[in-house]
């Protein structure tokens, strides 16, 4: 029988990003959110683990309201599949 110290050293820490049960209607969206959300602040580059990222959708765009605990930047990060960009003549 393994001693309790050996078992404790292999125990995983609690998951801070717990997913809902797989059968819930929003489970696939929750999973995509964890995979696709911004991981680093677009302003200072620090990890957003201590910040806030909330997601909503506008048509086909996924909008991540983001707050950075390191520099206090707040803004939207938008994921999209295609972009139409107009470039002025020069
Ligand atoms: Zn920042």
């Amino acid at each position: 029988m393994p001693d309790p110290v050996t078992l404790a050293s292999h125990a995983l820490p609690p998951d801070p990003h717990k997913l809902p049960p797989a059968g819930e209607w929003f489970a696939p969206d929750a999973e995509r959110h964890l995979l696709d959300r911004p991981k680093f602040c677009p302003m200072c580059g620090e990890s957003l683990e201590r910040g806030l990222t909330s997601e909503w959708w506008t048509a086909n765009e996924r909008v991540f309201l983001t707050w950075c605990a390191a520099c206090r930047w707040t803004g939207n990060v938008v994921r999209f599949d295609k972009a139409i960009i107009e470039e002025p003549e020069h």
Side-chain angles (χ1 to χ4, degrees):
M1 178 174 189
D3 68 10
V5 173
T6 302
L7 284 176
S9 67
H10 290 88
L12 294 173
D15 183 359
H17 306 294
K18 218 170 180 180
L19 288 171
E24 294 288 343
W25 65 269
F26 56 93
D29 291 329
E31 185 178 310
R32 288 301 336 160
H33 176 81
L34 287 181
L35 292 170
D36 297 339
R37 68 191 168 104
K39 309 294 189 289
F40 301 96
C41 174
M43 182 60 71
C44 74
E46 286 293 321
S47 170
L48 290 171
E49 284 299 317
R50 293 185 313 114
L52 170 75
T53 305
S54 181
E55 178 180 352
W56 73 87
W57 302 272
T58 303
N60 292 330
E61 292 181 341
R62 297 172 66 200
V63 182
F64 295 88
L65 171 64
T66 304
W67 173 74
C68 175
C71 74
R72 309 280 187 209
W73 181 83
T74 303
N76 290 337
V77 176
V78 180
R79 283 190 71 108
F80 48 81
D81 294 328
K82 295 179 184 176
I84 299 173
I85 301 171
E86 293 185 27
E87 185 173 333
E89 291 187 32
H90 40 243

